C-alpha cells in the first residue's frame, strides 16, 4: 500500500515539479515545523489557582516575559500584580471532570482485618494483626485463574474478584527478510487473535469471608454469554449488592448488572443497551449511582443521540430522560446530588455553530432547567472554582485564537475576560489561518465539516495537488476544532500542496 501511494503521488506531482519542491519551499516547510509557539502570546493561563476566593495565574507576554494576574470575581476586577504576590502554585493534577464513568472500581481493604491478594491463580487472605494466611479459593488454575481487581464490601464481610479463562493461542508467522544483525532472513512468531478465536473471558465471583459455611456467589456463562469485558466492580454502601459492567463481544449488548448477596447471589440487569449498530463503550459510557435514593444516571444513544437518563435502580426501569433533543452529551463533569443537577459538555446545542463544538450545559435530574452556560462561537473547555461558584471558560476555533473568560456558574454570565491570545508575531512568519468549510454528506442532508490549509504563498490562479487527510473510524472525529498550529499540515502546504 505504501508503494501504491508513492507511485500515485509521483504521477500526481510529475506535472507540477516546476512549481514546487524548490529549496525555498523546503526552507518554508521547515520553518512551519519549527517552534512557532514562541510567536504566540497570552494563549494559555499558566498554573491557574484559587486562593481565598480569588483566581491567580500568569501568562507569557513575549520572549522571557510574563505577566502575573489576580482576579476578584466578586468585584469583577482583573489586575496585574507582582510575582512575589502570587500564592504557592498548586500540585499538578488532572483536569477535573474528565472521568469516563464517574465511579470508583472498588473499596480498599477494611482496616485491621484481612488483606487480599492473588497467588498461584487463587485468592488468598492475610490477617494484618494475627499474621494468619487463609486460602479463600482452591479451584483456580492457569486455565481458569482468579485475578484482580479485588473489591471489598464496605463492611468487610464480602470480597469480589474476577475469574478469567485465557485467550486461545493463534500464532502468526512473519519473515524479516533483511535483519540488521545477520544475512539470512529471520522467522518471527507472535499471537494474533482473529474473529472467531476465543478471547480471554472473565466473570465476577463473590466470596463471603466469615461464617460457619462461607458462601461463594458467581455468575454463570448463560447470564453473561461471550463477554468482551467485565469492569467496574462496585459495592452498594450497605454491602448487599455488587454491580458490574458487562460488555458482550461484538459490542451490541452492554449491561449494568447486579449480584445481590442478600438474596443468595441473585443476578439481575439494572440497565441495558442493545443497539442494532454497536455500543461506543470507549467514549459513551457513564454511570452514577445515587445511593441515597436508589437511582442511577445512565448514558445511552438509544434514541439516536447520546443522552443521559434517570433510572429507578431498585426497579431497573427508566424514570425519565435527563437530556433530550437533536444534539449529543459529550461528557459529564459533575453530578450534584443535593441540588439534583448534572453538569456536562454537549455538542450541537448552539444553532449555527459547528456541531462538534463543545459547550458547558446543566440540567436537573427530572429533565427540567436545561441551560447552555458558555457563549463563544467555538469549542470550549472549562474549570470550576473550588466552591463551584465560578468557572474559567477557554474557547477557540481553528480560525480564532484562544479566549479565556471567567463566568458565573449559576447562569453562565460573564464576570470578565481574562486573556485573548495575540498572533501578530505568528502571522509575521507567513502562517495563515486554515479555512473552515461545510459540505453535505452522501445522504444530501448531513453536514460534514472540515478545514482547508493553503500555502503561505498561495496563488489562486494556479492549480495545486490536494492531500486529503482523514480517519474514517465510526467512533471519533479528527478534524481540528480548537485553535492549534497544525505544523505538520502547514509544513506540507509549503511544499506546494493544499491539505
Amino acid at each position: 500500500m505504501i508503494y501504491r501511494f508513492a507511485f500515485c503521488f509521483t504521477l500526481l506531482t510529475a506535472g507540477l515539479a516546476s512549481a514546487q519542491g524548490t529549496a525555498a519551499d523546503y526552507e518554508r516547510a521547515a520553518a512551519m515545523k519549527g517552534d512557532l509557539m514562541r510567536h504566540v502570546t497570552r494563549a494559555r493561563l499558566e498554573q491557574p489557582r484559587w486562593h481565598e476566593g480569588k483566581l491567580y495565574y500568569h501568562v507569557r507576554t513575549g520572549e522571557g516575559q510574563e505577566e502575573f494576574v489576580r482576579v476578584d470575581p466578586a468585584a469583577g476586577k482583573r489586575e496585574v500584580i507582582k510575582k512575589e504576590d502570587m500564592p504557592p502554585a498548586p500540585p499538578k493534577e488532572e483536569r477535573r471532570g474528565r472521568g469516563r464513568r464517574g465511579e470508583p472500581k472498588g473499596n480498599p481493604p477494611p482496616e485491621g482485618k484481612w488483606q487480599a491478594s492473588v497467588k498461584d491463580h487463587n485468592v488468598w487472605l492475610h490477617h494484618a494483626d494475627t499474621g494468619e494466611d487463609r486460602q479463600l479459593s482452591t479451584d483456580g488454575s492457569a486455565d481458569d485463574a482468579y485475578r484482580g481487581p479485588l473489591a471489598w464490601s464496605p463492611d468487610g464481610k464480602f470480597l469480589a474478584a474476577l475469574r478469567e479463562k485465557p485467550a486461545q493461542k493463534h500464532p502468526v508467522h512473519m519473515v524479516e527478510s533483511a535483519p540488521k544483525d545477520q544475512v539470512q532472513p529471520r522467522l518471527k512468531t507472535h499471537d494474533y487473535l482473529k474473529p472467531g478465536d476465543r478471547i480471554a473471558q472473565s466473570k465476577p465471583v463473590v466470596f463471603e469471608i466469615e461464617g460457619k459455611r462461607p458462601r461463594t456467589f458467581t455468575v454463570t456463562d448463560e447470564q453473561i454469554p461471550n463477554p468482551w469485558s467485565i469492569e467496574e466492580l462496585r459495592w452498594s454502601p450497605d454491602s448487599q449488592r455488587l454491580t458490574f459492567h458487562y460488555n458482550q463481544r461484538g459490542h451490541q449488548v452492554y449491561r449494568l448488572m447486579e449480584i445481590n448477596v442478600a438474596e443468595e447471589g441473585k443476578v439481575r440487569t439494572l440497565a441495558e443497551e442493545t443497539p442494532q449498530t454497536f455500543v461506543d463503550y470507549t467514549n459513551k459510557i457513564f454511570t452514577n449511582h445515587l445511593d441515597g435514593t436508589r437511582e442511577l444516571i445512565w448514558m445511552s444513544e438509544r434514541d439516536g443521540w447520546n443522552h443521559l437518563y434517570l433510572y429507578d435502580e431498585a426497579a431497573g426501569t427508566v424514570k425519565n430522560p435527563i437530556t433530550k433533543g437533536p444534539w449529543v452529551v459529550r461528557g459529564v463533569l459533575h453530578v450534584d446530588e443535593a441540588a439534583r443537577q448534572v453538569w456536562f459538555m454537549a455538542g450541537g446545542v448552539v444553532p449555527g455553530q459547528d456541531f462538534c463544538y463543545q459547550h458547558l450545559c446543566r440540567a436537573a435530574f427530572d429533565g427540567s432547567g436545561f441551560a447552555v452556560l458558555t457563549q463563544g462561537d467555538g469549542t470550549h473547555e472549562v474549570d470550576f472554582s473550588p466552591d463551584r461558584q465560578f468557572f474559567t471558560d477557554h474557547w477557540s476555533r481553528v480560525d480564532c485564537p484562544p479566549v479565556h473568560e471567567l463566568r458565573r456558574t449559576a447562569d453562565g454570565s460573564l464576570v470578565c475576560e481574562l486573556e485573548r491570545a495575540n498572533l501578530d508575531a505568528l502571522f509575521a512568519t507567513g502562517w495563515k489561518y486554515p479555512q473552515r468549510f461545510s459540505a453535505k454528506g452522501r445522504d444530501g442532508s448531513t453536514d460534514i465539516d472540515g478545514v482547508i490549509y493553503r500555502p503561505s504563498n498561495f496563488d489562486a490562479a494556479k492549480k495545486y495537488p490536494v492531500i486529503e487527510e482523514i480517519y474514517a473510524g465510526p467512533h471519533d472525529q479528527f478534524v481540528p476544532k480548537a485553535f492549534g498550529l497544525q505544523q505538520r499540515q502547514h509544513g506540507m502546504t509549503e511544499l506546494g500542496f493544499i491539505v
Side-chain angles (χ1 to χ4, degrees):
M1 188 171 182
I2 294 175
Y3 294 127
R4 184 193 309 168
F5 175 80
F7 177 67
C8 294
F9 180 82
T10 302
L11 291 179
L12 179 68
T13 59
L16 298 157
S18 60
Q20 61 189 137
T22 66
D25 294 332
Y26 279 94
E27 289 174 0
R28 289 197 313 277
M32 287 296 176
K33 294 181 180 181
D35 183 17
L36 293 183
M37 199 63 204
R38 62 190 177 89
H39 300 296
V40 181
T41 59
R42 298 185 182 276
R44 184 172 59 190
L45 306 188
E46 302 288 351
Q47 296 183 333
R49 72 210 75 165
W50 288 85
H51 181 70
E52 296 181 348
K54 296 181 175 60
L55 173 66
Y56 294 80
Y57 64 89
H58 64 274
V59 290
R60 181 179 170 277
T61 58
E63 289 288 345
Q65 298 177 328
E66 293 179 305
E67 187 173 274
F68 298 86
V69 178
R70 176 173 58 212
V71 183
D72 183 349
K77 181 180 179 182
R78 174 195 180 279
E79 61 178 334
V80 177
I81 62 174
K82 297 179 179 179
K83 182 178 181 178
E84 51 266 30
D85 293 332
M86 296 284 286
K92 291 183 178 180
E93 61 180 4
E94 294 182 359
R95 184 181 294 274
R96 290 186 295 274
R98 300 301 178 195
R100 184 162 67 98
R101 303 184 197 275
E103 297 286 357
K105 288 191 174 183
N107 295 298
E111 292 185 7
K113 295 187 178 181
W114 295 105
Q115 296 176 344
S117 64
V118 175
K119 181 173 61 175
D120 298 329
H121 314 301
N122 281 289
V123 180
W124 286 74
L125 297 179
H126 174 78
H127 203 287
D129 294 336
T130 67
E132 177 188 354
D133 289 318
R134 183 198 299 179
Q135 188 171 352
L136 198 58
S137 69
T138 59
D139 55 349
S141 66
D143 293 327
D144 198 1
Y146 291 92
R147 67 171 181 86
L150 303 176
W152 284 97
S153 62
D155 62 8
K157 295 181 179 180
F158 297 93
L159 177 69
L162 291 179
R163 191 171 186 182
E164 181 176 277
K165 293 181 179 180
Q168 72 176 77
K169 300 293 184 181
H170 190 138
V172 174
H173 308 288
M174 298 185 297
V175 175
E176 185 180 4
S177 60
K180 293 182 179 181
D181 59 344
Q182 66 183 48
V183 175
Q184 298 299 323
R186 176 183 288 116
L187 178 65
K188 291 188 173 182
T189 302
H190 67 280
D191 279 320
Y192 186 83
L193 297 181
K194 300 295 183 67
D197 289 348
R198 189 189 75 241
I199 62 174
Q201 295 188 334
S202 301
K203 60 182 177 183
V205 179
V206 175
F207 299 97
E208 187 175 32
I209 305 303
E210 306 293 348
K212 293 182 179 180
R213 293 183 178 179
R215 299 167 295 173
T216 300
F217 307 114
T218 189
V219 180
T220 66
D221 294 338
E222 291 72 27
Q223 290 169 323
I224 51 169
N226 202 13
W228 168 267
S229 65
I230 302 293
E231 296 182 317
E232 306 296 320
L233 303 182
R234 180 191 187 273
W235 284 98
S236 60
D238 62 4
S239 301
Q240 299 300 294
R241 297 173 301 279
L242 176 81
T243 58
F244 61 93
H245 290 246
Y246 158 63
N247 183 1
Q248 190 178 86
R249 189 176 186 181
H251 316 305
Q252 291 184 292
V253 176
Y254 194 102
R255 294 174 182 147
L256 174 66
M257 304 185 71
E258 173 189 271
I259 301 174
N260 192 320
V261 298
E263 299 183 15
E264 294 299 320
K266 180 181 178 180
V267 178
R268 70 185 184 109
T269 297
L270 303 182
E272 179 181 61
E273 298 298 317
T274 56
Q276 293 183 355
T277 53
F278 70 101
V279 176
D280 186 1
Y281 65 96
T282 58
N283 299 297
K284 297 170 184 172
I285 298 297
F286 178 81
T287 309
N288 192 281
H289 296 264
L290 307 169
D291 294 313
T293 55
R294 288 294 305 278
E295 292 173 306
L296 171 75
I297 296 177
W298 180 255
M299 183 179 284
S300 171
E301 290 187 289
R302 63 188 56 185
D303 73 348
W305 306 91
N306 196 47
H307 282 300
L308 300 173
Y309 294 82
L310 184 67
Y311 269 72
D312 181 332
E313 185 171 330
T317 57
V318 177
K319 296 181 70 172
N320 59 262
I322 297 175
T323 62
K324 60 183 177 180
W327 48 272
V328 295
V329 174
R330 294 290 299 273
V332 176
L333 302 187
H334 178 64
V335 175
D336 188 334
E337 294 190 36
R340 293 184 67 80
Q341 294 177 332
V342 58
W343 306 78
F344 55 92
M345 302 302 291
V349 290
V350 178
Q353 291 191 17
D354 187 315
F355 195 90
C356 292
Y357 289 170
Q358 296 194 42
H359 284 268
L360 174 64
C361 304
R362 180 189 62 223
F365 288 0
D366 63 4
S368 65
F370 172 75
V372 180
L373 301 174
T374 47
Q375 297 180 14
D377 184 5
T379 192
H380 297 248
E381 289 188 4
V382 302
D383 286 297
F384 292 98
S385 62
D387 60 6
R388 305 191 70 83
Q389 297 299 306
F390 303 93
F391 65 91
T392 51
D393 179 17
H394 320 277
W395 65 272
S396 67
R397 299 189 307 268
V398 293
D399 57 357
C400 174
V403 178
H404 307 279
E405 300 170 333
L406 182 63
R407 292 184 173 273
R408 297 177 181 87
T409 306
D411 56 7
S413 60
L414 180 67
V415 176
C416 64
E417 182 175 298
L418 302 174
E419 303 293 338
R420 187 176 292 261
N422 187 301
L423 306 186
D424 291 346
L426 179 63
F427 290 137
T429 68
W431 188 94
K432 294 181 179 179
Y433 285 129
Q435 177 187 350
R436 291 182 293 140
F437 74 91
S438 182
K440 295 299 179 183
R442 185 181 300 175
D443 60 6
S445 61
T446 303
D447 289 328
I448 306 296
D449 296 299
V451 292
I452 300 174
Y453 303 86
R454 293 180 174 85
S456 59
N457 59 355
F458 174 74
D459 185 344
K462 294 181 179 180
K463 292 184 177 180
Y464 294 79
V466 174
I467 297 175
E468 184 181 18
E469 184 182 34
I470 66 168
Y471 181 84
H475 56 282
D476 210 343
Q477 56 88 14
F478 291 84
V479 175
K481 300 299 174 182
F483 176 82
L485 300 181
Q486 279 88 47
Q487 291 162 274
R488 178 166 52 84
Q489 292 89 344
H490 281 288
M492 286 190 285
T493 66
E494 296 309 306
L495 297 179
F497 298 97
I498 289 177
V499 178

